[in-house]
């Protein structure tokens, strides 16, 4: 059974940094895609960044140059390094995974079948 568990959320001031982690278990597929999504109160869940099994990564335009997704395959952990945080980044952040290979540049929520419980990130001005 695939399980995703996020950690690392918290409160930070604008301009600061946070690193989110996602521990993955029960996931042993050779073709996969993993990503980070976020959902602010009253808004739709949106894609933030994704990484594919071949190492390709991509970000949403809203976080380009500020957020970096990475993975440690030995530790079965996905990361999201967030820098230059803005109040607009305040949201619940979710880790997601799919056994299908993603198309580079896409962040479709419907493409991901496995989700973590989310971790809250709050950025104050």
């Amino acid at each position: 059974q695939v399980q995703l568990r996020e950690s690392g959320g918290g409160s930070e001031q604008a301009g600061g940094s946070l690193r989110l982690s996602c521990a993955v278990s029960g996931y042993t597929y050779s073709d996969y895609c993993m990503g980070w999504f976020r959902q602010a109160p009253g808004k739709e869940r949106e894609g933030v960044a994704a990484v594919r099994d071949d190492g390709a990564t991509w970000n949403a335009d809203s976080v380009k140059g500020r957020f970096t997704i990475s993975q440690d395959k030995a530790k079965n952990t996905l990361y999201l390094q967030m820098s230059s945080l803005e109040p607009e980044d305040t949201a619940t952040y979710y880790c997601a995974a799919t056994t299908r290979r993603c198309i580079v540049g896409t962040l479709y929520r419907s493409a991901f079948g496995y989700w973590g419980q989310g971790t809250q990130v709050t950025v104050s001005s």
Side-chain angles (χ1 to χ4, degrees):
Q1 182 178 359
V2 177
Q3 292 187 333
L4 309 174
R5 184 173 296 276
E6 304 95 337
S7 61
S11 297
E12 184 59 71
Q13 290 188 333
S17 300
L18 282 172
R19 188 176 80 158
L20 304 183
S21 300
C22 175
V24 183
S25 60
Y27 197 81
T28 57
Y29 300 94
S30 58
D31 292 337
Y32 64 85
C33 189
M34 300 191 68
W36 288 96
F37 288 72
R38 66 185 182 185
Q39 188 167 17
K43 294 188 176 181
E44 293 290 320
R45 191 172 299 187
E46 63 175 359
V48 175
V51 58
R52 209 167 62 174
D53 54 275
D54 61 359
T57 64
W58 57 97
N59 295 338
D61 289 341
S62 59
V63 304
K64 278 183 179 178
R66 301 189 299 120
F67 291 11
T68 302
I69 189 171
S70 63
Q71 59 179 333
D72 186 330
K73 294 183 179 181
K75 295 183 178 180
N76 291 327
T77 303
L78 181 72
Y79 301 100
L80 183 68
Q81 178 66 48
M82 305 185 293
S83 302
S84 301
L85 285 165
E86 303 170 352
E88 293 74 22
D89 296 320
T90 296
T92 300
Y93 283 71
Y94 297 90
C95 174
T98 176
T99 56
R100 302 177 183 177
R101 176 173 273 198
C102 295
I103 299 173
V104 173
T106 64
L107 288 164
Y108 300 128
R109 176 183 175 181
S110 60
F112 292 81
Y114 301 100
W115 293 86
Q117 82 289 349
T119 186
Q120 178 67 36
V121 172
T122 301
V123 183
S124 58
S125 58

